[in-house]
């Protein structure tokens, strides 16, 4: 990336040798990214990230195919980059069906098959959910979509680099990837567009990215994305080792913290995701105490934390508001060690205990365990 910002400063669209050196770096990155997901380099369109890839996929495919029909199927647990695109489409003459999910966060293939209509033009179901890590049956859905001649998009931002992702095995026509979710730079990603799939551009100008995404390319970002993609492909087997750490963390939390439940599927989840609800507590309060101990965690999704609305994902899974508010998400990464897990398992129960003793919700239900008895009388 440093080279792309200094020595290799040309514009990939320029004819001179500086331009062609930049173009070469751009096309090398395209090959690295294509290889990670089993695509052809010509099927990769670089974007400013996962959000833009999702917007381009859903709105672009809907617009390009609106003469055939105006019905779209998605799920109720998608990222807001998809949900808000669907909302915009609904305001502009399209009709959207939001599939429910099971209590473990899985879309049922039967529900999807039953929702397909004559005028269905697009199905968009995420590969892995960003809050609970559940892995959806994308290949099965892809098979149905293909049989029915419907364009199939999957937001694979959370699966790429964590589990194998191959666009042909999954039978997808469109697939979104983001660099910063695979240890790459922020502000860059791509949309895979299968050859022959019609997608209208969302921005207009030059002829870059086969006119699907015009504008001078973010070369430093793209080069960084390419390198991250190459490393993600090489390191994929390493990532599976995180399953042991993930399971140690899950089992340890459920064992040591009373009234704690796992959100999402026990096994059909990415190696990196742990999401639990700790009853009688607010996730946000836990985050601050954890941060003081050097533990970085989230409640809900990073994009909506700070808002007090409970997670739409947990609510769609049938989890009540109170328990959804107490959700805590911990994401494991390549550099985590067993000692890190031991440290969390040591510190978190102490924090939970301390916060619960101050919680009127808790002490009234568990009378006698409260240090602030006056508070109980007020509730
Ligand atoms: C992070 C994320 C996005 C958005 O990607 P950005 O590159 O941050 O815009 C979209 N979908 C999912 C599932 C994500 O986790």
């Amino acid at each position: 990336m440093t080279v792309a910002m200094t020595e290799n400063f040309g514009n990939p669209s320029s004819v001179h040798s500086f331009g062609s050196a930049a173009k070469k770096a751009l096309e090398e990155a395209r090959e690295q990214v294509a290889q990670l997901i089993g695509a052809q380099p010509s099927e990769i369109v670089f974007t400013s990230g996962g959000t833009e890839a999702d917007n381009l996929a859903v709105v672009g495919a809907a617009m390009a195919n609106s003469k055939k029909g105006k019905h779209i199927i998605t799920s109720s647990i998608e990222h807001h980059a998809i949900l808000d695109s669907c909302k915009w489409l609904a305001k502009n003459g399209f009709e959207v069906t939001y599939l429910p999910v099971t209590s473990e966060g899985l879309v049922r293939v039967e529900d999807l098959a039953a929702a397909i209509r004559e005028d269905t033009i697009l199905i968009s179901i995420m590969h892995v959910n960003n809050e609970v890590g559940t892995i959806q049956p994308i290949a099965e859905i892809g098979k149905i979509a293909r049989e029915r001649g419907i364009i199939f998009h999957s937001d694979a931002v959370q699966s790429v680099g964590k589990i194998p992702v191959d666009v042909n095995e999954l039978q997808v026509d469109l697939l979104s990837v983001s660099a910063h979710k695979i240890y790459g730079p922020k502000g860059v990603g791509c949309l895979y567009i299968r050859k022959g799939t019609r997608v209208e551009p969302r921005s207009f100008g030059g002829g870059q990215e086969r006119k699907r995404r015009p504008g001078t390319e973010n070369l430093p970002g793209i080069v960084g994305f390419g390198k991250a993609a190459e490393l993600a492909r090489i390191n994929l087997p390493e990532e599976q080792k995180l399953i042991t750490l993930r399971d140690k963390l899950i089992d340890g939390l459920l064992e040591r913290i009373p009234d704690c439940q796992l959100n999402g599927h026990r096994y059909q989840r990415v190696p990196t995701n742990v999401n639990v609800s700790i009853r009688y507590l607010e996730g946000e309060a836990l985050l601050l105490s954890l941060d003081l101990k050097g533990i970085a965690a989230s409640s809900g999704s990073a994009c909506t934390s700070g808002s007090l609305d409970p997670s739409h994902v947990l609510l769609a899974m049938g989890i009540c508001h109170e328990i959804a508010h107490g959700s805590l998400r911990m994401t494991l990464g390549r550099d985590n060690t067993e000692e890190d897990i031991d440290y969390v398992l040591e510190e978190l129960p102490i924090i939970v205990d301390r916060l619960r003793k101050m919680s009127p919700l808790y002490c009234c239900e568990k009378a006698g365990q409260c240090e602030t008895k006056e508070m109980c009388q007020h509730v």
Side-chain angles (χ1 to χ4, degrees):
M1 288 178 71
T2 311
V3 171
M5 283 189 280
T6 53
E7 294 148 54
N8 197 2
F9 191 70
N11 181 335
S13 298
S14 299
V15 176
H16 48 64
S17 53
F18 299 107
S20 58
K23 176 93 180 160
K24 190 163 166 277
L26 176 68
E27 295 315 318
E28 192 183 314
R30 201 185 302 282
E31 261 172 51
Q32 288 165 319
V33 171
Q35 211 180 348
L36 177 64
I37 58 171
Q40 296 299 318
S42 59
E43 295 172 314
I44 301 296
V45 170
F46 287 117
T47 64
S48 64
T51 300
E52 191 193 332
D54 281 349
N55 293 181
L56 178 59
V58 172
V59 180
M63 290 306 217
N65 297 279
S66 63
K67 288 211 176 73
K68 278 195 240 160
K70 292 203 158 192
H71 181 238
I72 294 156
I73 301 172
T74 188
S75 84
S76 44
I77 61 163
E78 298 295 311
H79 189 275
H80 281 109
I82 298 291
L83 294 178
D84 289 356
S85 295
C86 289
K87 241 196 246 171
W88 185 86
L89 285 170
K91 266 197 244 154
N92 286 276
F94 290 83
E95 211 185 314
V96 184
T97 298
Y98 297 91
L99 297 176
V101 293
T102 66
S103 59
E104 292 170 321
L106 279 170
V107 168
R108 290 184 209 87
V109 179
E110 314 86 83
D111 288 348
L112 175 105
I116 294 175
R117 313 192 314 209
E118 274 307 307
D119 59 343
T120 306
I121 50 167
L122 174 68
I123 297 171
S124 179
I125 304 287
M126 71 201 317
H127 194 186
V128 167
N129 181 269
N130 46 310
E131 292 183 37
V132 293
T134 310
I135 304 169
Q136 303 295 343
I138 293 302
E140 280 176 70
I141 296 172
K143 187 164 173 278
I144 295 174
R146 189 160 292 178
E147 279 164 8
R148 304 292 298 263
I150 302 164
I151 295 175
F152 181 35
H153 167 253
S154 186
D155 175 340
V157 169
Q158 291 285 340
S159 59
V160 167
K162 300 187 177 82
I163 55 173
V165 174
D166 181 294
V167 292
N168 294 316
E169 273 169 33
L170 297 177
Q171 307 204 41
V172 292
D173 303 303
L174 303 166
L175 183 121
S176 308
V177 186
S178 174
H180 75 104
K181 304 285 174 74
I182 60 166
Y183 303 94
K186 287 159 194 71
V188 60
C190 77
L191 179 64
Y192 156 78
I193 305 181
R194 183 178 293 280
K195 189 167 182 279
T197 305
R198 288 173 54 210
V199 175
E200 284 269 319
R202 302 301 302 144
S203 47
F204 310 95
Q208 293 95 340
E209 300 302 289
R210 296 172 170 247
K211 294 192 179 151
R212 257 86 170 243
R213 208 282 191 168
T216 303
E217 302 85 350
N218 165 15
L219 199 63
I222 290 171
V223 165
F225 183 20
K227 189 67 194 177
E230 183 193 310
L231 293 174
R233 186 169 53 82
I234 296 167
N235 292 330
L236 191 62
E238 284 293 307
E239 210 76 7
Q240 307 320 301
K241 292 188 187 154
L242 290 176
I243 293 176
T244 317
L245 294 188
R246 175 196 74 187
D247 290 348
K248 179 174 170 156
L249 184 55
I250 292 175
D251 293 337
L253 291 175
L254 296 180
E255 199 183 287
R256 287 169 203 219
I257 302 177
D259 294 309
C260 173
Q261 71 175 54
L262 178 69
N263 295 319
H265 198 282
R266 182 67 183 82
Y267 302 106
Q268 206 168 318
R269 73 194 299 142
V270 273
T272 47
N273 178 286
V274 174
N275 186 321
V276 291
S277 276
I278 299 180
R279 259 193 101 179
Y280 312 111
L281 292 181
E282 295 273 333
E284 305 284 321
L286 283 165
L287 300 188
L288 297 175
S289 301
L290 283 168
D291 188 45
L292 289 174
K293 294 284 177 189
I295 300 165
S298 327
S299 176
S301 74
C303 316
T304 50
S305 58
S307 89
L308 286 175
D309 295 336
S311 143
H312 70 286
V313 175
L314 297 180
L315 294 183
M317 286 160 58
I319 292 168
C320 74
H321 277 245
E322 190 209 322
I323 293 181
H325 267 303
S327 78
L328 181 69
R329 177 164 62 99
M330 284 179 274
T331 308
L332 300 172
R334 195 186 278 173
D335 300 319
N336 281 124
T337 60
E338 187 148 8
E339 288 73 54
D340 294 339
I341 304 298
D342 289 333
Y343 179 63
V344 174
L345 288 177
E346 199 179 293
E347 295 294 337
L348 188 54
I350 300 172
I351 294 170
V352 167
D353 198 45
R354 182 167 52 77
L355 291 176
R356 274 182 176 166
K357 281 182 175 149
M358 298 189 292
S359 156
L361 264 178
Y362 183 73
C363 64
C364 292
E365 212 154 304
K366 312 256 161 174
Q369 294 188 25
C370 183
E371 281 173 358
T372 54
K373 294 218 174 60
E374 318 79 68
M375 260 170 106
C376 291
Q377 282 145 24
H378 294 302
V379 177

